[in-house]
Amino acid sequence: MSDEKRRLTLKNPPAARPVAAAAPTRTPRPPKPPRQDSAEPAARPGRSATQAARLSAQLNVMVGAVRKAGRRLLRDFGEVEQLQVSVKGPGDFVSQADIRAEQTLREELAHARPNYAFLMEESGASAEADWEYRWVVDPLDGTTNFLHGIPHWAISVGIEKRLTETESEIVAGVIYNPASDELFSAEKGGGAFLNDKRLRVSARRDMREAVFATGIPFGAIPRKPEFLGILSRIMPQVAGVRRFGAAALDLAWVAAGRYDGFWELGLNKWDIAAGIVLVREAGGYVTDPAGQDAYPLGMVVAGNPHLHGKLREMVQAGIAAAEAGRAAARNQDGG
């Protein structure tokens, strides 16, 4: 090679060969999660993973049913002026919303537990005479509130277990207010919950600090003398008395410690079934005014352990005074 060519080669060296790019590394796919069974349901819209893991198979069925019915009720609540409404009795209404919600609940619950009987507000009791378990359902507690656009109403579902021919007990209950998305649930021996929060009744001991709830007998509903007699005894001793128009939520709020107690006479089984187990599992008491089982006749006094007895005594005294007043009026008319 000549000196001139050598100098040119040193100034302009040959280009280096390109290096082949390394093959991309594959990222392994994560393993598929194990399938969930009914005892440990996967979280669904509207419920947290914690709640889904806590629910038993029974409660899981109930929660799924009330949430499905609740979605339809919320749509109806937004168009309440378009609903057809019928009158069942004095101040007692039924709307298309009640009927559709009850149908949804019946379909969902019957599909999951085909051997359970039913006791429902709108369609009554199913024909099975030898039932062991039955659903006790109020598809819309607080219908009057619902129809007036007041967001204080609920779906209530309880499970009643037959013990003997004449005795039964409520073993689980769910009360759901779709307007606030508050879901109260309880199962015998498993505690009471509001969504994921464990519930306890209030700890108040002093009647002067207590707030109680009740229902007012309006229109042609009887027991006005009893109500006035009870109220006249309670009002001077407490911080307040509330009437919100949905007995199921009144009981749920006692379980949550929002109310210190609740009383009402002549309620239906579907009004109180779920609420009874909620209050008891939250540490409270539910009896009739005489201290017996409230469920058969719907004569309800509920409260925390410190105030229940005092409230029950005042309710009993108000009833006795009303009965004495009626007896005196009969004697006067007869004389």
Side-chain angles (χ1 to χ4, degrees):
M1 180 182 297
S2 65
D3 292 341
E4 185 178 355
K5 285 184 179 181
R6 188 178 291 110
R7 284 195 299 271
L8 289 173
T9 300
L10 292 174
K11 286 183 180 180
N12 300 296
R17 289 185 178 181
V19 179
T25 303
R26 289 188 176 182
T27 303
R29 293 182 179 179
K32 292 183 178 180
R35 289 186 64 182
Q36 301 283 349
D37 59 21
S38 59
E40 295 186 8
R44 297 177 185 172
R47 75 174 72 168
S48 70
T50 303
Q51 184 185 46
R54 174 180 59 78
L55 294 176
S56 69
Q58 295 277 48
L59 285 177
N60 184 51
V61 168
M62 300 163 78
V63 168
V66 300
R67 285 199 179 277
K68 185 171 182 178
R71 289 192 290 271
R72 181 57 187 264
L73 282 173
L74 272 178
R75 291 195 295 270
D76 287 337
F77 189 59
E79 302 172 351
V80 69
E81 67 282 351
Q82 300 178 24
L83 294 175
Q84 292 182 1
V85 180
S86 303
V87 179
K88 294 193 293 185
D92 191 6
F93 304 98
V94 60
S95 71
Q96 288 176 306
D98 299 70
I99 296 168
R100 287 194 289 248
E102 184 169 289
Q103 182 179 3
T104 297
L105 291 165
R106 178 183 281 276
E107 291 173 355
E108 293 294 310
L109 297 173
H111 176 74
R113 298 289 185 272
N115 296 328
Y116 284 22
F118 281 91
L119 176 62
M120 311 187 85
E121 180 178 10
E122 306 306 337
S123 56
S126 54
E128 300 90 341
D130 58 346
W131 56 269
E132 182 182 2
Y133 290 92
R134 72 174 176 181
W135 304 108
V136 185
V137 178
D138 190 343
L140 179 51
D141 185 44
T143 300
T144 302
N145 285 347
F146 184 92
L147 295 176
H148 283 74
I150 300 170
H152 192 77
W153 44 271
I155 303 164
S156 177
V157 178
I159 299 179
E160 182 179 0
K161 179 182 180 181
R162 174 175 279 172
L163 302 177
T164 67
E165 287 297 319
T166 58
E167 296 180 327
S168 65
E169 65 175 344
I170 308 301
V171 295
V174 168
I175 297 171
Y176 180 45
N177 180 354
S180 63
D181 197 29
E182 288 191 321
L183 191 144
F184 302 85
S185 62
E187 195 165 20
K188 185 179 178 181
F193 293 83
L194 167 53
N195 297 332
D196 292 335
K197 179 184 176 183
R198 184 72 179 258
L199 295 181
R200 294 295 298 176
V201 294
S202 73
R204 292 184 185 85
R205 298 171 178 264
D206 191 337
M207 289 288 286
R208 294 170 298 179
E209 299 175 354
V211 172
F212 294 129
T214 188
I216 299 174
F218 45 82
I221 294 176
R223 300 190 184 88
K224 289 182 180 64
E226 283 85 348
F227 173 76
L228 294 173
I230 296 165
L231 193 65
S232 66
R233 287 163 171 77
I234 291 176
M235 284 183 65
Q237 301 190 46
V238 301
V241 176
R242 303 287 184 264
R243 196 275 186 180
F244 280 4
L249 284 175
D250 288 337
L251 287 165
W253 284 24
V254 172
R258 298 173 182 176
Y259 294 144
D260 302 294
F262 164 76
W263 88 92
E264 190 167 354
L265 309 179
L267 291 166
N268 294 299
K269 289 183 176 181
W270 48 77
D271 296 318
I272 61 176
I276 286 174
V277 69
L278 270 163
V279 172
R280 288 175 177 166
E281 287 299 314
Y285 296 160
V286 185
T287 68
D288 71 2
Q292 303 302 311
D293 187 4
Y295 185 63
L297 298 178
M299 310 286 276
V300 179
V301 182
N304 73 32
H306 311 296
L307 299 179
H308 173 265
K310 298 175 184 178
L311 177 60
R312 187 177 63 77
E313 290 171 2
M314 288 187 286
V315 171
Q316 201 169 22
I319 294 172
E323 292 173 348
R326 277 193 290 267
R330 286 194 299 269
N331 291 336
Q332 186 175 9
D333 292 342

